[in-house]
Amino acid sequence: MSQQNITTLSVSRNAFGQSPTGVSADLFTLTNANGLVVKITNFGGIITEIHAPDKHGQFADINLGFDHIEPYYKEAPYFGALIGRFGNRIARGKFTLDGKTYELATNNGNNHLHGGLVGFDKVVWDASTFETANSVGITLKYLSVDGDQGYPGNLNVTVVYELTNTNEILVKYHAVTDKATPVNLTQHAYFNLAGKGGDILNHEIMINADRFTAIDDEAIPTGDLPSVEGTPFDFRSPRLIGERINDDHEQLKNGNGYDHNFVLNKAHAKELSLAARVLEKNSGRVLEVFTQEPGVQFYTGNWMDGSLTGKNWNYTRRCGFCLEPQHFPDSPNQPQFPNTILRPGEEYTSVMSYKFSVAQ
């Protein structure tokens, strides 16, 4: 996509295909006053494209995904998707809440991952558009019924995507329930800031975290929160993703690379603060991720093998990275972790953003 001369905000809606159950889905194109374009479908709340400028003003799609709906429900590894009810893993697909044990769908070996077999990434959301003086966006709504994938309670969820004239994609989450249930919503976009294929190992990343969540060989948290000091997980100062990704370290072996929750440094709970900053030096593109969540999952596309080809290139190992704001994995089974249980009368709220800029 070449440099554009768009000077007005706009949002449009076009047909995108049908879900596996025959429900029609749409594709929404959001454009801001700077020409930044974001495309989102109400199938799974998936971000399908992000066209951002480089230091020469040239636009490219920096978001991994597809230009039609079928791959998203057939083989896509959560490209661009909204994740729920519970982002990341729940060990053995089980948890006990208020004395009752619940069994969830298991879709990651023995474990429950990203909401189960039919998570929020595989349903069609009700969608409406909006415009303000400085932004455009879409509002998505979905009712996850009592028993969905094994979870208790009717969960009413609203997610707002808002593209601003400051080149920021705000994501605002809200949920209420009629029974106590775990809730941990996140966004699973894969980025390659070069916008032209290749791996992401020369991207420079900073993660604002002194500790991370240690995992076992099934990527389930052990409960330990080791210091990043002196380890390949120390990204408190910017360093290349690939600098130590292949080190002989047990945690890298367990994740097949980076696939870990980082415990974010926060002045206070629910603070909207910088979680991570990524720079791709050749293009100058910069991504900053802000969140109110206590953690962020850093994943480096370790399991992609070239078997998928998307709208822009062949998706080989480590050709994209994810930064997923979240509560910690397996929190319903780890009472020492921050609470993820939403109860009747309470409101789940969380705000995150992807902010794009250019380093000259």
Side-chain angles (χ1 to χ4, degrees):
M1 188 171 184
S2 60
Q3 187 173 6
Q4 303 173 32
N5 296 310
I6 298 170
T7 57
T8 57
L9 290 157
S10 66
V11 55
S12 63
R13 181 174 190 162
N14 298 99
F16 192 56
Q18 291 188 333
S19 76
T21 57
V23 180
S24 294
D26 291 324
L27 185 68
F28 299 81
T29 301
L30 314 179
T31 307
N32 74 3
N34 307 311
L36 196 143
V37 175
V38 179
K39 296 187 179 183
I40 302 167
T41 174
N42 61 331
F43 177 73
I46 293 168
I47 297 174
T48 66
E49 300 180 28
I50 302 172
H51 296 264
D54 67 8
K55 60 188 176 184
H56 303 295
Q58 298 299 308
F59 283 73
D61 186 359
I62 59 172
N63 174 72
L64 277 60
F66 305 99
D67 56 10
H68 53 293
I69 194 171
E70 288 81 5
Y72 284 112
Y73 59 74
K74 289 183 177 177
E75 65 258 349
Y78 303 99
F79 283 153
L82 282 180
I83 301 297
R85 290 188 191 188
F86 197 93
N88 220 305
R89 293 168 177 85
I90 295 178
R92 303 296 180 265
K94 294 181 181 180
F95 66 91
T96 299
L97 177 57
D98 297 337
K100 182 177 179 180
T101 297
Y102 294 89
E103 294 194 11
L104 307 174
T106 52
N107 58 322
N108 182 244
N110 297 315
N111 306 308
H112 177 85
L113 176 65
H114 290 333
L117 295 168
V118 185
F120 289 179
D121 61 299
K122 291 185 174 62
V123 298
V124 178
W125 296 61
D126 293 332
S128 60
T129 64
F130 65 88
E131 299 184 40
T132 75
N134 296 298
S135 67
V136 290
I138 63 170
T139 300
L140 301 175
K141 294 180 181 291
Y142 182 68
L143 170 62
S144 176
V145 299
D146 189 15
D148 184 8
Q149 303 299 296
Y151 287 99
N154 293 294
L155 187 74
N156 276 286
V157 185
T158 301
V159 179
V160 175
Y161 282 109
E162 184 174 6
L163 174 63
T164 73
N165 281 340
T166 55
N167 289 355
E168 192 168 21
I169 304 171
L170 287 163
V171 190
K172 304 172 185 179
Y173 306 91
H174 179 272
V176 293
T177 185
D178 59 3
K179 292 182 184 177
T181 188
V183 182
N184 184 26
L185 308 181
T186 190
Q187 220 294 326
H188 207 303
Y190 286 70
F191 296 96
N192 184 317
L193 300 182
K196 59 179 182 181
D199 63 45
I200 42 79
L201 300 180
N202 285 323
H203 285 52
E204 183 181 271
I205 187 169
M206 183 284 297
I207 302 177
N208 183 22
D210 294 333
R211 295 177 294 155
F212 71 100
T213 307
I215 57 174
D216 63 19
D217 59 5
E218 291 186 78
I220 298 297
T222 64
D224 296 329
L225 302 176
S227 170
V228 300
E229 182 76 35
T231 76
F233 294 83
D234 191 349
F235 292 104
R236 292 173 295 181
S237 296
R239 62 199 293 181
L240 298 181
I241 291 174
E243 182 178 334
R244 299 186 64 181
I245 198 170
N246 294 316
D247 279 14
D248 184 14
H249 190 284
E250 180 184 20
Q251 284 299 306
L252 290 173
K253 292 177 181 177
N254 287 348
N256 196 26
Y258 296 110
D259 191 6
H260 294 75
N261 173 70
F262 284 73
V263 180
L264 296 174
N265 299 327
K266 294 275 185 179
H268 54 81
K270 298 296 284 187
E271 175 189 25
L272 181 62
S273 59
L274 180 65
R277 181 182 189 271
V278 186
L279 165 67
E280 202 282 309
K281 290 184 178 180
N282 288 333
S283 67
R285 291 190 183 94
V286 174
L287 166 66
E288 293 175 302
V289 179
F290 295 82
T291 182
Q292 291 183 308
E293 292 295 298
V296 65
Q297 186 84 4
F298 177 43
Y299 174 56
T300 47
N302 309 311
W303 299 104
M304 290 190 286
D305 60 6
S307 61
L308 296 178
T309 297
K311 53 192 161 55
N312 37 16
W313 63 78
N314 183 241
Y315 296 139
T316 54
R317 189 174 192 229
R318 295 176 176 162
C319 73
F321 68 89
C322 304
L323 289 163
E324 307 155 55
Q326 61 177 12
H327 271 58
F328 302 171
D330 199 36
S331 289
N333 294 314
Q334 310 240 12
Q336 75 277 22
F337 287 176
N339 175 57
T340 56
I341 304 303
L342 180 68
R343 296 183 178 276
E346 299 175 342
E347 291 182 275
Y348 174 98
T349 62
S350 188
V351 177
M352 61 162 287
S353 76
Y354 299 127
K355 186 174 178 63
F356 304 96
S357 59
V358 174
Q360 297 296 333

